[in-house]
Amino acid sequence: MNELKSLSLAELSELLAARKLSSVELTSYYLERSRKYQKDINGYITITEDLALATARRADELRTREELPPLAGIPVAVKDNIVARGAPTTCASRVLENYVSPFDAAVVEKLSLNPLLGKVNLDEFAMGADNKTSAFGPVRNPWDLQRVPGGSSGGSAAVVAAGCAPFSLGSDTGGSIRQPAAFCGVTGFKPTYGRVSRRGLVAFASSLDQIGPLARSIADCALVLQAICGHDPADATSARQEVPDFRACLQADVRGLRLGLPRENFACCDEEVAGAVEEAARQLELAGATVHWVSMPYRDEVVTAYLLIATAEAASNLARFDGVKYGYRGQGQTLDELYTSSRIFGATVRRRLMLGTFALSGEDCPACYEQGLRLGRAIARHLDSLFRQCDVLLLPTAPTVAFTLDGEQDPLASYYNDILTIPANLAGLPAVSVPCGLSSGLPVGMQLMAPRFREDLLLRVGHTWQCLTDWHQRWPREVN
Amino acid sequence: MYEAVIGLEVHVELLTRTKLFCRCSTQFGAPPNSQVCPVCLGLPGALPVLNGEAVDQALKAAAALNCRINRISTFARKHYFYPDQPKGYQITQTRPLAEGGRVDLGAFQVNIARLHLEEDAGKSIHTPECTLVDYNRSGIPLIEIVTEPCLRTPAQAREFLEHLRLIMEYAGISDCKMEEGSLRCDANISLRGPGGSTAVVEIKNLNSFRALERALAYEIRRQSRLLAQGKAVAAQTLRWDEAANRTVVMRSKEEAGGYRYLPEPDLPPLILDEAAIARACRLPELPLARKARFIGAYGLSEADAHILIGDRMLADWFEAAVAAGARPRQAANWVLGEVARLRKETRHLPFTPADLARLIDMTERGAVSVAGAKKVLAVLAERGGDPEQIVHSLGLAQVSDREQLAEVARQAVAENPDAVRDYRSGKDRALRFLLGKAMKLSRGRANPQLLRELVLQAIADAERL
Amino acid sequence: MEITQEQVKKTAAMAKLRLSDEEIESLHRLLRELVARSAGISLPEEEASTAEPGEAAAAPAPFSRPQPGLRQEEVVALAPAAERGFIRVPRVMDHE
């Protein structure tokens, strides 16, 4: 039974289809591991054992009568800012501590035959890059429990890294799937904006948010993407592009592909991190790709654009949390008291709401939303020009490996850690982080970016990489 | 000395099957919070989707007001915290659906600055201890129509608003019931004189056409008085207090800092194709055109036509009755008189214009008297039925048979010689007496005109004997 | 543009946030920094045409039949305070 966590989703799927393994067995296995590591890692906010086993039983029963989709019966952990009935959706905030959504998110509907292991931990309202801002305690990196898993999808990454869940769903607004995937040594995929319905994702920055899978390999991600991508008429920003056969894109062949390495994005990283990613590029070159340096000179522009856009949209999206219709309500005789006593967000969220409210107030332009949009468009145009010179951009996911839990960071300075991931959100591009090495025993992530709707290129390069290497199959020492 | 500069901001609730951004029903009068969903309640994770029916209705309104339709218009969030605003913002439009319209009222014209779509908020009920909120209304589609400040008198403002209501009703865009809130109006007013203009004052809480007119008249008086005293008029938002008959300063709902508009990231720009715009411009006949047609084609008086088109149901009734064979003048009289009166008592009338036409025909043939027909109409209004049958069952069938009535006339004359003598000696009252007797003999069923003729004949005959 | 402490407090009031004195101070710094940074960035040339929306938005379809949403009990169950099917809040002083 020790082997199960090392099997790919495709292998698990085959075992289930052949009835050599039941969904109940598989789900029980992961529930036990989730409980076992919960105290150390704190990856979950809610473990939903009864729900999970009920779904597992239903999947097993259905399988006796009909053929099920490939992913059916395989348990999943879902980031706790994606609504699901039957359990609270807290967004890691006291404001929604006991909130139970009366509707399921679109992705939850699509994964209705996947037993829900639980709702995993995150930075409060998905704002953060270290999962330290959760109202329910920080998540710890399975590779080193004194270190952060990254964020905001820290729980999503940690439970996959520790073998507590075969795959998980996270959300990515400025790097929140990719960076924790890098810090935790797993594969994290952010699809093109619009590929996955946002219906049911508690909005942070509506024009940047996307839901995506975290799993142990590109091949696994391909299976999950197949299940969750697709046009949703109930999401007006949902793309109408046809969903290709992602599995068919898993070719282990990069011959003829042009890889572009933005030199500035390497220069700002720790030596070992940059080195590991450059080495990966070299190996891909040996495998037949052409590799050359390109330029991505925007730094302050990236951070400022993100600051203005994301905080403004967040301030708007979180205006609904007023203690009136649902969620936490404080004490108040007057309306104003009701609002201020109910909006008990943590410090990071409060900070961003203040920045965003200011950016929307128009008190000062260029410190305003419109300027943020202009900067974002300029960055997107630049990336378009890079994609005329290459097929896929290759760069580190984060400038460092996972840092320690203690230690404060200057709020504005910390945004510069997201410089490498933010551009993909600003331009709506698909991007993925795959493990590519270890630095002082901690995982290093390599990021691949492609033009809009070209997930196929990412799957191709990523899968080739994972056929050449086995970084993605490593387990943290602490976990077994 | 001072000229009033008045503009109106009108909100019209659109008639659509479902709300602007979700599929909740728009039915009025449901139990509180029974017509809501995650979208219009603002639950976390909910997303708006634009209802094309509301767009079509808004386009019709724009066409009816002769506006220039923008092929591309955009949505935006207007932020303010209020219990009936579930998301903490209202989705409205920045680049509006239409601009630059015009309504011609004959004596004056009104220019429409803009027309755009937006969602309504929920409803708050204030009790002494608390405020209760019902979100059934949240998300209902509205159009906001803003006029240029081109109105000059309270009467003009009222006339325009009444006409606007008529247009919306005729085009099937809204039922425009101010008392139900499907038509709301705020007014802006300033005074312009030789020294310049005063600040613009906004007046809210105008719940009827009358209130609009009176509030504006009040403001003109109030502001003129201030100016005469050499004082300035403050730019404020005022509330019209119907009971006290004056305007009262309102505390502003929103602090300084404004509404922090954000282009709506959840909705792409609305791009209209030619087909949609063409569909919108296929409008039903609008009020003024219909009025002209009533006068021209049916020969109605201006006054009658004006009243008829003021109530679409009556106008439809009138035309249907004419189509069923009634003469226009008669139809108009009956519709404007009896039918209108009955309809005030019972909204829904269980009989048809065709029934009315048959009844009118019966009065013309003399088969029933006018008084009798009114009784028949009352019965029809209560339980419907067949006019001829009702006439018969009520015993109202008017006798117009000459021989029958001649016999009755002869009898009345024979039985009342004193009255006959009085009439012959010049007392006209005696004729009425004789007619009354004759009518009684006929058990009230005689055709009055024919009876009169025959009674006079009988009197003449008796004299010869 | 100089950001004053008053502005910070005004922004907090707009956002309906209760901030500690410490937070007001640190946010004062943060906002000043944001304004300074934003001012210091020169925007690369904007493209001449603001491109038409990428996806030719299909004409929005009319919603046909109403669909049932939440039941009154569900709405009331979510609410922190309710009365006779309404959601209850403290008495609001302002009129519409």
Side-chain angles (χ1 to χ4, degrees):
Chain A
M1 270 311 185
N2 240 356
E3 254 60 36
L4 276 180
K5 72 180 194 291
S6 299
L7 294 180
S8 72
L9 291 183
E11 286 165 331
L12 287 174
S13 179
E14 269 171 56
L15 286 174
L16 287 169
R19 319 263 279 281
K20 294 200 187 132
L21 176 68
S22 76
S23 180
V24 170
E25 286 170 318
L26 184 59
T27 303
S28 306
Y29 169 80
Y30 277 108
L31 280 170
E32 207 201 297
R33 288 188 65 86
S34 297
R35 281 193 299 268
K36 179 172 174 193
Y37 292 103
Q38 175 59 17
K39 189 156 153 292
D40 284 336
I41 297 174
N42 196 29
Y44 287 88
I45 293 180
T46 313
I47 296 181
T48 51
E49 175 155 345
D50 294 336
L51 271 180
L53 290 172
T55 305
R57 279 190 295 269
R58 190 156 43 93
D60 286 334
E61 203 273 319
L62 268 176
R63 209 182 283 279
T64 64
R65 289 185 272 127
E66 57 191 74
E67 198 181 316
L68 297 184
L71 220 49
I74 302 179
V76 62
V78 171
K79 187 174 181 182
D80 206 15
N81 63 350
I82 297 172
V83 300
R85 294 176 296 166
T89 301
T90 69
C91 298
S93 178
R94 296 249 168 262
V95 167
L96 289 180
E97 188 168 358
N98 299 307
Y99 174 75
V100 179
S101 171
F103 74 103
D104 284 328
V107 289
V108 170
E109 285 173 352
K110 290 196 163 202
L111 298 179
S112 61
L113 285 177
N114 296 81
L116 178 67
L117 294 167
K119 306 300 281 313
V120 284
N121 209 342
L122 61 153
D123 276 304
E124 187 181 9
F125 282 105
M127 299 188 203
D130 50 26
N131 218 137
K132 280 166 70 175
T133 67
S134 165
F136 305 108
V139 175
R140 294 166 183 277
N141 193 320
W143 289 80
D144 178 344
L145 296 176
Q146 304 313 314
R147 291 181 183 259
V148 302
S152 60
S153 312
S156 309
V159 297
V160 171
C164 299
F167 74 101
S168 67
L169 293 183
S171 72
D172 192 309
T173 305
S176 291
I177 287 177
R178 293 161 284 158
Q179 185 249 31
F183 279 12
C184 290
V186 298
T187 303
F189 204 115
K190 182 197 91 66
T192 307
Y193 182 84
R195 271 286 199 207
V196 179
S197 170
R198 288 186 305 114
R199 178 169 54 93
L201 171 65
V202 181
F204 162 10
S206 313
S207 68
L208 307 176
D209 294 342
Q210 266 294 273
I211 294 175
L214 293 95
R216 299 204 55 85
S217 69
I218 284 278
D220 285 359
C221 283
L223 271 174
V224 183
L225 285 171
Q226 200 77 61
I228 64 174
C229 287
H231 176 65
D232 181 5
D235 171 357
T237 60
S238 172
R240 283 169 203 274
Q241 254 72 1
E242 264 209 52
V243 180
D245 181 348
F246 289 127
R247 247 179 141 166
C249 305
L250 295 169
Q251 316 155 35
D253 178 11
V254 292
R255 278 172 303 175
L257 280 185
R258 300 167 297 164
L259 305 174
L261 277 54
R263 66 174 63 86
E264 297 87 348
N265 292 156
F266 285 81
C268 69
C269 297
D270 279 0
E271 254 192 75
E272 285 201 24
V273 167
V277 179
E278 273 184 60
E279 173 58 28
R282 262 193 293 275
Q283 291 192 41
L284 286 166
E285 197 175 26
L286 287 172
T290 55
V291 169
H292 56 273
W293 294 101
V294 296
S295 173
M296 174 54 173
Y298 298 128
R299 279 179 53 84
D300 294 328
E301 294 83 353
V302 168
V303 167
T304 306
Y306 182 71
L307 261 178
L308 294 171
I309 296 175
T311 60
E313 292 185 9
S316 175
N317 286 321
L318 270 63
R320 66 190 63 200
F321 300 111
D322 55 11
V324 172
K325 316 154 295 280
Y326 49 80
Y328 177 82
R329 184 190 282 197
Q331 298 290 354
Q333 298 296 78
T334 69
L335 203 54
D336 217 67
E337 275 172 29
L338 176 73
Y339 290 142
T340 54
S341 68
S342 300
R343 287 165 68 75
I344 51 168
F345 305 110
T348 301
V349 173
R350 282 216 292 282
R351 199 179 308 132
R352 298 206 188 190
L353 293 183
M354 284 291 290
L355 291 175
T357 304
F358 183 83
L360 281 181
S361 69
E363 294 264 330
D364 175 284
C365 224
C368 63
Y369 182 73
E370 268 69 34
Q371 180 71 350
L373 289 181
R374 280 191 286 266
L375 286 171
R377 281 196 294 267
I379 293 160
R381 277 199 305 278
H382 180 73
L383 288 169
D384 282 345
S385 74
L386 291 184
F387 284 120
R388 288 195 275 276
Q389 306 168 43
C390 64
D391 301 304
V392 170
L393 289 172
L394 188 156
L395 62 158
T397 306
T400 67
V401 291
F403 41 88
T404 56
L405 270 163
D406 55 11
E408 283 302 313
Q409 270 210 299
D410 176 87
L412 278 194
S414 67
Y415 280 102
Y416 281 84
N417 292 336
D418 299 330
I419 282 216
L420 305 176
T421 45
I422 287 172
N425 301 87
L426 290 174
L429 308 178
V432 65
S433 177
V434 289
C436 73
L438 292 173
S439 164
S440 319
L442 295 165
V444 175
M446 163 173 70
Q447 187 184 189
L448 304 167
M449 274 169 62
R452 283 161 57 81
F453 302 109
R454 296 307 308 272
E455 284 84 357
D456 63 297
L457 290 171
L458 301 179
L459 295 172
R460 193 171 150 193
V461 178
H463 185 65
T464 306
W465 172 248
Q466 291 184 343
C467 289
L468 292 171
T469 64
D470 70 348
W471 295 110
H472 59 291
Q473 287 166 335
R474 309 280 180 99
W475 292 98
R477 216 177 338 115
E478 324 255 336
V479 161
N480 222 336
Chain B
M1 186 162 145
Y2 294 108
E3 182 183 43
V5 177
I6 300 169
L8 296 183
E9 191 179 293
V10 186
H11 286 92
V12 176
E13 233 174 64
L14 298 177
L15 280 170
T16 53
R17 279 167 290 213
T18 72
K19 296 184 178 182
L20 184 54
F21 296 118
C22 65
R23 298 185 185 241
C24 287
S25 165
T26 55
Q27 282 270 315
F28 184 79
N33 294 308
S34 64
Q35 271 167 202
V36 297
C37 73
V39 178
C40 54
L41 196 56
L43 295 189
L47 292 175
V49 180
L50 185 58
N51 177 359
E53 192 185 4
V55 176
D56 290 342
Q57 289 286 60
L59 284 175
K60 263 206 300 192
L65 298 175
N66 302 299
C67 294
R68 205 178 52 243
I69 292 174
N70 288 327
R71 208 176 76 84
I72 301 180
S73 56
T74 57
F75 293 95
R77 299 181 180 180
K78 177 178 175 182
H79 297 83
Y80 63 92
F81 283 90
Y82 204 69
D84 65 14
Q85 195 59 271
K87 297 186 292 294
Y89 58 83
Q90 173 198 38
I91 301 180
T92 175
Q93 287 195 293
T94 34
R95 179 129 213 273
L97 186 67
E99 297 174 273
R102 194 191 68 254
V103 178
D104 196 330
L105 289 152
F108 64 101
Q109 262 198 9
V110 179
N111 294 323
I112 308 290
R114 51 184 280 145
L115 181 153
H116 71 253
L117 274 165
E118 59 184 35
E119 58 175 350
D120 208 346
K123 225 151 97 159
S124 304
I125 300 174
H126 304 290
T127 76
E129 301 86 37
C130 64
T131 292
L132 301 173
V133 191
D134 171 17
Y135 294 100
N136 285 354
R137 202 184 68 176
S138 163
I140 292 240
L142 302 174
I143 39 173
E144 178 178 310
I145 300 168
V146 181
T147 72
E148 304 278 8
C150 57
L151 299 160
R152 294 285 169 263
T153 69
Q156 276 188 355
R158 178 178 183 158
E159 194 181 332
F160 165 74
L161 191 64
E162 284 177 332
H163 192 77
L164 180 70
R165 186 193 133 260
L166 213 54
I167 295 177
M168 295 294 123
E169 256 198 341
Y170 265 67
I173 294 164
S174 171
D175 59 16
C176 279
K177 297 190 184 137
M178 265 183 111
E179 64 285 5
E180 272 175 25
S182 49
L183 172 69
R184 290 165 238 166
C185 180
D186 296 333
N188 297 310
I189 179 170
S190 67
L191 295 188
R192 191 160 54 197
S197 294
T198 64
V200 175
V201 160
E202 191 188 3
I203 312 174
K204 296 175 102 68
N205 197 42
L206 300 164
N207 293 326
S208 65
F209 298 111
R210 209 173 75 120
L212 170 66
E213 199 172 3
R214 293 169 67 195
L216 284 171
Y218 177 89
E219 264 307 289
I220 291 174
R221 285 198 304 277
R222 181 185 79 89
Q223 294 188 20
S224 303
R225 225 177 297 133
L226 282 175
L227 290 174
Q229 294 166 7
K231 299 190 188 143
V233 174
Q236 288 170 322
T237 301
L238 306 175
R239 193 171 59 82
W240 173 247
D241 189 329
E242 183 69 34
N245 239 328
R246 50 189 282 263
T247 56
V248 176
V249 176
M250 229 178 111
R251 251 181 302 169
S252 73
K253 200 187 275 187
E254 182 57 25
E255 323 77 6
Y259 292 112
R260 303 187 291 290
Y261 285 94
L262 173 75
E264 175 56 80
D266 289 334
L267 294 171
L270 174 60
I271 304 176
L272 297 167
D273 57 9
E274 294 307 323
I277 299 180
R279 244 193 342 261
C281 295
R282 275 186 258 124
L283 291 166
E285 189 183 32
L286 292 183
L288 288 178
R290 198 171 196 187
K291 179 175 168 184
R293 194 165 55 80
F294 280 3
I295 296 172
Y298 299 123
L300 296 187
S301 70
E302 211 263 321
D304 280 353
H306 186 83
I307 302 174
L308 273 178
I309 59 144
D311 185 329
R312 188 176 176 181
M313 190 232 169
L314 291 183
D316 291 343
W317 257 79
F318 162 72
E319 283 215 86
V322 171
R327 279 193 301 123
R329 281 282 176 71
Q330 288 282 15
N333 285 340
W334 278 91
V335 167
L336 285 173
E338 288 302 300
V339 176
R341 187 181 60 78
L342 287 166
R343 200 170 68 104
K344 260 200 216 95
E345 297 159 20
T346 42
R347 280 308 273 193
H348 170 66
L349 295 172
F351 64 99
T352 69
D355 293 330
L356 179 67
R358 292 224 318 275
L359 193 57
I360 294 176
D361 179 59
M362 286 171 73
T363 63
E364 307 231 288
R365 279 190 284 118
V368 68
S369 67
V370 169
K374 287 188 183 170
K375 287 199 190 116
V376 172
L377 210 57
V379 172
L380 281 172
E382 212 173 302
R383 46 188 160 85
D386 174 37
E388 304 234 359
Q389 236 179 45
I390 296 175
V391 164
H392 194 76
S393 66
L394 289 184
L396 290 171
Q398 192 171 251
V399 177
S400 296
D401 182 79
R402 289 194 85 93
E403 263 192 44
Q404 256 190 291
L405 289 185
E407 185 50 49
V408 164
R410 266 197 296 273
Q411 200 182 335
V413 163
E415 287 176 4
N416 298 281
D418 297 326
V420 175
R421 211 178 302 124
D422 283 342
Y423 174 71
R424 287 216 189 98
S425 56
K427 296 197 176 115
D428 287 317
R429 242 200 339 245
L431 178 61
R432 277 205 296 277
F433 177 81
L434 284 167
L435 285 172
K437 287 292 181 190
M439 184 61 85
K440 209 152 151 216
L441 284 171
S442 79
R443 272 181 306 233
R445 302 218 260 125
N447 180 326
Q449 289 91 329
L450 189 56
L451 187 66
R452 188 175 200 279
E453 188 198 316
L454 292 168
V455 163
L456 286 170
Q457 181 76 49
I459 294 174
D461 288 347
E463 194 171 11
R464 268 187 255 114
L465 290 172
Chain C
M1 186 220 184
E2 235 346 274
I3 308 283
T4 64
Q5 239 202 37
E6 255 332 287
Q7 271 174 297
V8 180
K9 291 186 181 160
K10 213 177 59 160
T11 306
M14 272 198 276
K16 301 291 182 221
L17 292 172
R18 190 182 282 157
L19 300 180
S20 66
D21 290 334
E22 248 172 29
E23 274 181 302
I24 292 186
E25 246 198 75
S26 75
L27 275 159
H28 192 184
R29 262 180 277 125
L30 211 59
L31 280 172
R32 284 208 305 269
E33 234 192 289
L34 176 68
V35 168
R37 275 172 193 279
S38 307
I41 295 182
S42 58
L43 192 61
E45 275 298 314
E46 182 93 26
E47 223 159 54
S49 67
T50 21
E52 287 271 303
E55 335 243 311
F63 291 164
S64 47
R65 263 171 298 111
Q67 275 174 16
L70 298 171
R71 295 187 311 276
Q72 192 194 72
E73 310 89 77
E74 289 179 283
V75 178
V76 165
L78 287 172
E83 187 181 302
R84 291 179 285 131
F86 293 91
I87 294 190
R88 194 177 70 228
V89 294
R91 177 77 160 89
V92 172
M93 284 307 136
D94 299 327
H95 295 270
E96 165 86 65

